[in-house]
Amino acid sequence: MTELDERKLDPAVALASLDETAPREPHRLFALKQGDCFAVADAYGDIRGAGDGFFRDDTRVLSEFRLTVGGRQTSLLGASLSQDNVLFTSNLTNLPMQSVGGRDIPQGAIHIERVRLLWQDRLFERVTLSNYSQETSAIRVSLHFAADFRDMFEVRGSTRLKRGMAHAAEMDATSVLLRYDGLDGLARLSAISFSQAPDQLSAERADFLIAVTKRSSKVLYIEVGPEAAETPDRDRFRAAAARARFGMRAKRRHGATVHSSGRVFNDWVERARADVALLTTELATGPYPYAGIPWFSTAFGRDGVISALQMLWLNPGLARGVLAFLAQHQATETSPFSDSQPGKIMHETRKGEMAALRELPFGRYYGGVDTTPLYIHLACAYADRTGDMDFIDRLWPSLTAAAEWTEEASRATGFVTYQRAAESGLANQGWKDSFDSVFHADGRIPKGPIALVEVQGYVFAAFRGLAALARRRGGYAQAEHWESRAEEMRIAVERDFWLDDLGFYALAIDGAGEPCKVRTSNAGHLLFVGLPEPARAQMVADQLLSATFHSGWGLRTLADDAVFFNPMSYHNGSIWPHDTAICGVGLARYGERESVVRLMSGTFESAVHFNMRLPELFCGFTRSPGEAPIAYPVACLPQAWSAGSAFMLMQACLGLEIDGWDGQIRVTRPRLPIGIDTLTLRHLNVGDRAVDLTFQRVGDRVVAFLADRHEGLVPLIVRT
């Protein structure tokens, strides 16, 4: 008789023996995503129901998923994501415990490997137990599970007066079905299926008594999906893994690749590229980079546009997908609840129960003041990069509608302003959208409508770009009109936002016409679009690069002498990699390319400390020798525009521009990142051709050249 047969498990005893007080080492959260599903768990592979979980269409369909062995928490050996972001692996071992028969098993006798992936709305997991002791052991393995079916906004902290109905669990020999009927009339299901029948099964736990002979392994397969699976097994797991990896490879093949002489630098670039691919979802309109996991795994207008701008030089197809989606969802009516007006571009879309019931406005929400001019700017940049006028012609009615909204929004004051139309909307509607991110120097919160400085820069770029496109289409009257509007905006910003006493641009102008005399990174976005006159741009650049803003890891969002400065805040002194990258492009535009090299170095070194993955933001403390950057505790990871910042800064360093109209590559005063001697761009598309372009350090200069096999096909113009 085996030890497995000697003693059957008492569920009450098992629950009592669960050691919740076992010390847990500091750990990171790990995210997987596929389509409109994502999972966030700790390094143990456990979901504990805080901000973590398995989510489908903005609903948490698994709020607990914990593995215990011998009634105890396991001990963490290590955890990682595969380079392509498809597989999560956690390596664990047992704490001191007893076998099912009561024999003591020392710590480290059993190795537990958890491997997880997502594919087609389903979570697949393989649990392998390997016995490295000299004794055959019967082990109690327990999986604790629950599904609270909470809307994403409930998980983030929103409260609801009413919820739908949660049904009693339905069980058969190898599965448990959990069901919730939402107030929106939709049934949401979570079926947990096992490769073998549990020895004990309840609505919240499955217990397996597994005999593992010495020097052998046993495998358990688990699946969680909207319906019970066929019996999970090795073949289903391997097939799902193969398809998921093939799908990810297909996404990563789009666009040019980067390879350098720096091994660690290459690791960062590969991780950033993999993160952009992970967050990119194939929609009916084309690829779209979702903003970030866990809070923003959906299509955001601003985030999608900026991510597409960051990747445009390498992969213009991403911009095309973003533009097509946003054009399809452009507002056609006025609604205070959703903050929409005809021509306005969407800020956010959600699929959860609260959005469907209009408990909040984010089902399709338009409360972003900058998204519409940024959308126009992306379209113009895409056209310059590709020369794809056929697509621009199809997009033209949407672009002109967006331009009309922009002009109407600026009619009253000459600036594009925001003031939320309903109390349920966002109070601040720029990229710094927290409640205290816009303020006066004395700490007063300004009254609306508010004109943000960077938004006026985006409007300037939008009108200037549209004018150039209109000329190409033969619309000379339109072109002259938009050129005039761009120049009017430039003059107005220089007149009303410039602060002589600070040598800087005001953060905003409030509803009373009073400037918010606060120095913020927003002014760097004006450099990004090329609005300031050179002397003023230099004054802004000098301050951005001073210790007031530059922490050593990146640029703070707020000067360190401001009344609300707090390096641990969301927007008032933290470091956002995408913001640093946008400012970096602006600095390069005005000749500060060596400074951009230093910014890229700090950003790369930050990524190294964050295991090669830049978070949404991190704290803005000043860099000290031997110390790492300080994490912001609830930052999204991964975040599309943080991953894309690597490529935006790289382009700014290289001084590279691709002219899709003339089929040329232009390189101006190229620089390589610190420590990199060669960098090659492979399969860089210019028109209908693909070329390899190499940058090489030669003494104190950087030269650029095309691979021999491409010579003569694409003109390369280098200015030193």
Side-chain angles (χ1 to χ4, degrees):
M1 179 179 290
T2 68
E3 193 175 353
L4 180 62
D5 298 320
E6 291 173 4
R7 179 173 146 193
K8 287 294 180 183
L9 183 64
D10 179 349
V13 171
L15 190 59
S17 65
L18 177 59
D19 189 357
E20 292 287 2
T21 63
R24 303 186 80 204
E25 302 150 52
H27 56 274
R28 297 182 296 123
L29 294 177
F30 291 79
L32 296 172
K33 177 187 173 296
Q34 201 273 323
D36 284 320
C37 289
F38 69 91
V40 178
D42 64 22
Y44 296 77
D46 287 341
I47 292 169
R48 292 182 169 264
D52 53 354
F54 177 35
F55 294 80
R56 184 171 61 243
D57 291 337
D58 287 323
T59 300
R60 184 161 64 182
V61 295
L62 202 59
S63 52
E64 184 180 12
F65 198 62
R66 294 186 296 111
L67 186 73
T68 58
V69 177
R72 298 198 68 186
Q73 168 77 45
T74 54
S75 177
L76 177 65
L77 299 175
S80 62
L81 287 169
S82 58
Q83 189 178 49
D84 60 7
N85 283 326
V86 170
L87 298 177
F88 163 75
T89 302
S90 178
N91 285 284
L92 311 158
T93 190
N94 66 291
L95 293 170
M97 64 180 188
Q98 289 190 329
S99 70
V100 171
R103 183 172 53 76
D104 288 340
I105 300 176
Q107 180 166 346
I110 310 297
H111 173 241
I112 305 107
E113 181 193 61
R114 301 179 73 175
V115 181
R116 179 179 299 159
L117 67 107
L118 304 183
W119 180 245
Q120 292 186 335
D121 293 347
R122 187 171 291 274
L123 182 151
F124 293 78
E125 180 151 331
R126 182 185 70 207
V127 180
T128 305
L129 296 100
S130 301
N131 184 359
Y132 286 95
S133 75
Q134 298 302 308
E135 303 288 339
T136 297
S137 298
I139 304 164
R140 184 173 70 245
V141 177
S142 301
L143 186 70
H144 307 254
F145 51 82
D148 61 6
F149 296 103
R150 293 198 176 272
D151 187 278
M152 170 57 74
F153 286 92
E154 289 183 275
V155 178
R156 290 172 61 181
S158 296
T159 57
R160 301 181 67 191
L161 297 177
K162 278 185 71 178
R163 297 192 81 245
M165 177 180 292
H167 293 264
E170 300 175 23
M171 291 173 281
D172 61 24
T174 59
S175 68
V176 178
L177 179 66
L178 306 175
R179 173 177 174 144
Y180 168 78
D181 290 338
L183 296 175
D184 57 354
L186 292 181
R188 292 169 172 87
L189 307 174
S190 194
I192 305 162
S193 306
F194 311 102
S195 58
Q196 66 183 65
D199 291 87
Q200 299 262 330
L201 182 61
S202 71
E204 56 192 25
R205 194 173 78 252
D207 298 309
F208 302 87
L209 307 181
I210 298 177
V212 187
T213 60
K214 61 183 180 181
R215 311 296 291 181
S216 71
S217 299
K218 288 291 179 68
V219 182
L220 176 67
Y221 293 94
I222 307 156
E223 294 183 25
V224 184
E227 68 280 323
E230 302 172 24
T231 303
D233 59 18
R234 176 176 177 269
D235 290 343
R236 285 177 58 84
F237 184 89
R238 293 184 67 176
R243 290 172 186 142
R245 302 199 94 150
F246 179 82
M248 187 62 76
R249 274 198 303 273
K251 286 198 285 186
R252 292 178 70 185
R253 277 198 296 265
H254 293 305
T257 59
V258 179
H259 186 79
S260 81
S261 58
R263 182 179 60 80
V264 179
F265 187 84
N266 289 339
D267 290 343
W268 176 43
V269 171
E270 281 300 307
R271 173 58 71 190
R273 188 177 179 85
D275 282 352
V276 173
L278 174 72
L279 290 165
T280 298
T281 302
E282 290 294 333
L283 304 176
T285 47
Y288 200 103
Y290 283 8
I293 297 173
W295 311 121
F296 309 120
S297 186
T298 187
F300 274 76
R302 177 193 303 121
D303 298 63
V305 167
I306 290 176
S307 299
L309 282 168
Q310 292 170 328
M311 302 301 296
L312 180 59
W313 64 298
L314 295 171
N315 179 17
L318 194 61
R320 184 181 174 117
V322 168
L323 291 165
F325 178 84
L326 294 178
Q328 186 179 84
H329 294 88
Q330 189 171 26
T332 58
E333 61 183 12
T334 298
S335 167
F337 180 70
S338 62
D339 226 330
S340 65
Q341 290 115 23
K344 204 172 182 184
I345 296 298
M346 185 197 75
H347 169 68
E348 176 180 0
T349 183
R350 294 285 184 174
K351 297 180 179 179
E353 180 183 5
M354 292 177 72
L357 293 169
R358 295 173 68 83
E359 294 177 26
L360 38 75
F362 303 116
R364 192 176 296 169
Y365 181 60
Y366 293 84
V369 68
D370 51 358
T371 310
T372 305
L374 278 170
Y375 163 76
I376 299 172
H377 176 55
L378 175 62
C380 299
Y382 169 83
D384 289 342
R385 167 65 178 86
T386 63
D388 183 3
M389 278 304 292
D390 287 343
F391 180 67
I392 295 298
D393 287 343
R394 293 197 296 275
L395 211 61
W396 197 250
S398 171
L399 292 172
T400 54
E404 287 167 7
W405 176 86
T406 304
E407 292 202 57
E408 182 60 33
S410 62
R411 198 172 304 281
T413 65
F415 297 120
V416 173
T417 62
Y418 68 87
Q419 186 168 21
R420 63 180 172 186
E423 285 299 311
S424 57
L426 294 173
N428 282 319
Q429 297 188 357
W431 83 262
K432 297 176 181 176
D433 57 5
S434 49
F435 75 96
D436 61 349
S437 62
V438 181
F439 57 94
H440 285 289
D442 59 5
R444 287 177 295 123
I445 301 298
K447 301 290 186 183
I450 292 169
L452 288 168
V453 64
E454 78 276 15
V455 174
Q456 316 319 313
Y458 304 152
V459 172
F460 162 76
F463 285 142
R464 185 180 56 182
L466 273 180
L469 287 181
R471 285 196 183 281
R472 289 188 180 275
R473 301 180 78 251
Y476 300 109
Q478 275 185 319
E480 289 177 8
H481 170 72
W482 283 324
E483 283 170 353
S484 173
R485 294 292 290 116
E487 180 61 13
E488 288 169 8
M489 180 60 76
R490 189 192 66 78
I491 292 170
V493 169
E494 294 282 44
R495 180 188 66 230
D496 296 342
F497 279 86
W498 181 253
L499 306 171
D500 278 319
D501 53 339
L502 296 180
F504 211 78
Y505 291 92
L507 163 62
I509 294 175
D510 70 10
E514 182 182 356
C516 296
K517 297 183 178 182
V518 181
R519 293 183 298 162
T520 66
S521 62
N522 303 54
H525 295 221
L526 287 186
L527 275 60
F528 170 70
V529 298
L531 183 148
E533 63 178 59
R536 289 181 174 179
Q538 190 60 56
M539 283 189 271
V540 172
D542 290 344
Q543 294 183 61
L544 289 175
L545 294 168
S546 73
T548 296
F549 281 98
H550 193 353
S551 75
W553 299 114
L555 299 183
R556 300 184 183 100
T557 53
L558 179 65
D560 64 2
D561 59 357
V563 63
F564 284 168
F565 175 75
N566 180 351
M568 301 175 290
S569 68
Y570 196 53
H571 287 128
N572 289 334
S574 54
I575 296 166
W576 289 66
H578 90 278
D579 183 44
T580 293
I582 289 173
C583 292
V585 173
L587 292 166
R589 177 188 281 273
Y590 286 91
E592 290 282 350
R593 207 172 300 283
E594 295 294 347
S595 300
V596 178
V597 171
R598 292 195 295 274
L599 279 181
M600 183 157 199
S601 179
T603 302
F604 166 54
E605 289 157 6
S606 300
V608 170
H609 285 288
F610 288 119
N611 295 293
M612 297 303 173
R613 175 178 267 175
L614 285 169
E616 175 188 17
L617 72 155
F618 52 95
C619 294
F621 292 106
T622 299
R623 183 174 183 170
S624 297
E627 294 186 3
I630 307 301
Y632 185 82
V634 292
C636 284
L637 191 71
Q639 182 90 351
W641 64 15
S642 288
S645 64
F647 303 102
M648 190 174 234
L649 282 168
M650 188 184 302
Q651 184 183 15
C653 285
L654 298 176
L656 185 149
E657 179 185 354
I658 299 169
D659 184 339
W661 306 114
D662 295 332
Q664 294 178 347
I665 301 173
R666 291 196 285 269
V667 175
T668 304
R669 297 179 57 226
R671 298 291 183 270
L672 282 168
I674 294 171
I676 302 301
D677 292 323
T678 62
L679 186 148
T680 299
L681 307 172
R682 294 175 178 156
H683 307 293
L684 187 67
N685 286 320
V686 184
D688 58 358
R689 297 170 180 146
V691 301
D692 295 350
L693 176 61
T694 295
F695 294 81
Q696 184 169 323
R697 196 183 302 278
V698 179
D700 60 354
R701 297 173 57 242
V702 174
V703 298
F705 56 90
L706 295 171
D708 290 343
R709 62 192 175 90
H710 298 302
E711 205 167 301
L713 290 177
V714 174
L716 172 63
I717 301 168
V718 182
R719 303 183 182 93
T720 57

